Amino acid sequence: MVSIKPASPRMHLLALFLFALLSVSTSNAAPVGRQVFSPENPLRIAFAYVGPVDDIGWTFSHNEGRVSIEDYFGATVSTVAFENVSEDPEVGLAFFRQLAEEGYHFIIGTSFEFQDPMYQVSQEYPNIRFLHISGYLLGPNFSNAFGRMYQSRFLSGIAAGMMTQNNRVGFVAAFQIPEVYRGVNSFNIGMKLANPDATLHVLWTNTWVDPDLESYASSFLLDQVGVDVITQDQDTFTPQLEANKRGRFSVGYNTDMGRYVSTSVLTSAVWNWGPMYIRFTQQVLDGTWQSESYWGPFTDGLSDVGKFSVLLDPSAVSLIMDQRAQLIAGTKDVFCGEDVVEFDPQGPNGCMLDSQLLSMNKTRSDIVDEGFISIPLVRIDLPDGVTITMQVLAALVIVLVFVLIVLLLVYRMNTVIRYASPVFCIATCIGSIIMLVTVFLLSPTPTGALCTIAAWTICIGFTLFYGNLLAKTLRVYIIFRSVKNFERVKVTNMQLFPFVGVLLALDVILLVLFTAIDTPTTSHDTQGLDPYEYRSVCDYNGAAFILIWIMVGYKGIQLFVGIILAFLTRSVSKAFNESQSIAGAIYSFAFVFVVIVPVVALLDDTVAIYVLISLGLIFVNLAALLIMFVPKFYLVFTGQTASVSMTTAASGTAVGM
């Protein structure tokens, strides 16, 4: 029954405009029929909250309203609260439908995003009453409600204006929607009434509940802009905590936040949902329900100012109470006169109409808009110790490969080396170097180019190394089979070059498609990192992802063929050129391929993937090179070349440069 809330606005402009047209009106629908409730058969009420009850803000205030219902009606009602209900329409539809199925008589939803699923369910269950907070839809059993919080915001702004010492006041604002614009502008009007020299600085977060971002935004206003009083309209009290840490003042919102922070909270613009909830609950109990759009005025007590801090200047308290009395008496309203000339008020006495208030879309010109803010993401690169270790190991193997190339060139006319086909041996070494270069390409912060080049180096390097092993093993197999059939077969290097060329050509075709059709990019990986940290990783999506796996399959086929050939030539004497050492190298490739590829595919840890790929490349190259060349140079340096020459010559093999 509980899910996590994704942040999104409670209202949008069209919704608010329609709300304006319907505001404080009663539909002509007939009342929903009365049902008798008692302590033995209580009215069952379900509250769907968008956030947690302990946010000390929006949801907390609604929960206090729920408790007011229980206190007022006693055992005649039974309420249940559901926290963190998802704003996703499909999830919401299933949730509210389940509440209806469970037999609740009255369902209340506290997020604008609940409106559509609640309304749909209300049509399916006409005997259940629904109350939606901040919406605009109406139905025979469906009402909506909100309050004129801007009046309380105006009063709380007076406190900020009176108490600022440097005339800089901050407002951490949520979304750029009419509800928030009304709050910002009315707060500014109250602040200016108390202190015409004060300036309001507004910073937008595009969130309702994000304590980390609200903390960051508050710190920006307090430390960078230098405000000495701050307020907000998000659902939590994070800005008040940040101000208190710095010994500065704040103004609360939603609930009386001075109770939960300290006397640094001068006062709060508070919601008091209890009377309104009691009002609608009474209708359900009495059978007098009629659908309506209720936008409660200040006189209904739906919003007010909280307790005053002992630190608040008495003259501020006096001014606030005087303005409050005028609001209650109806002799004053906030959005009237010179304060709203730039909004082109269309109502009587120079006041803005409700339709204008409900579609408000800008701040006053004397407000400093600091823009939107987000917590900057911090890129976390691969640990230096890990990348340096992998690069040093790869470099050592590359040095070994260059040593082998020099030795192959120096001893190319030696019988052992000549019969091993130096040209294939050197090509194998070049392939090894190309593969090992991949370790250096994967070590820095990846870019699309590095991700692309890394795919080329692995594939081309693999085929140069392994393709030449495969060609030489194929030659051993052909000659071995011909000897068994008492045939004399001549297999030259020139005959094998096209075989390796075809393998390389297939690689190039796949890689060109891979690069041209869907060029790799980079993306953010947050696995195992702290919030607001990320690592850049290679991102192979779409066609690139498909081609990657086609290339992996292609390498798998090469390995499979190599294993078969190695198995078929397993009984060839090790004196017959290098068949068994080549087979050993092929098996080492196959082992790494079978182990590394599946593990990397399953891992989400970027560091682990880098280490596995790097170690796999280092190990397979080192193992294959040692298996292939240590026996050869042992024979070279110990002078054991005669037996190889005689055995190979007796076979009728055609070998050499």
Side-chain angles (χ1 to χ4, degrees), residues 618-639:
I618 292 167
F619 170 79
V620 73
N621 280 278
L622 181 60
L625 291 169
L626 292 177
I627 291 170
M628 286 178 57
F629 292 110
V630 168
K632 290 179 178 58
F633 285 107
Y634 175 78
L635 293 176
V636 170
F637 294 135
T638 58

Side-chain angles (χ1 to χ4, degrees), residues 197-265:
D197 295 328
T199 300
L200 186 63
H201 297 258
V202 179
L203 192 61
W204 304 88
T205 66
N206 272 345
T207 60
W208 288 121
V209 182
D210 189 340
D212 289 341
L213 179 54
E214 290 152 28
S215 174
Y216 185 77
S218 301
S219 298
F220 179 87
L221 287 173
L222 291 163
D223 300 335
Q224 303 300 317
V225 178
V227 305
D228 60 358
V229 184
I230 196 169
T231 190
Q232 97 296 343
D233 61 6
Q234 286 82 359
D235 293 355
T236 68
F237 60 119
T238 305
Q240 286 70 30
L241 293 175
E242 292 296 334
N244 189 59
K245 288 179 186 177
R246 294 162 173 80
R248 301 185 197 177
F249 293 126
S250 64
V251 173
Y253 175 58
N254 283 314
T255 61
D256 192 353
M257 291 182 171
R259 294 159 53 190
Y260 310 102
V261 182
S262 76
T263 54
S264 63
V265 180

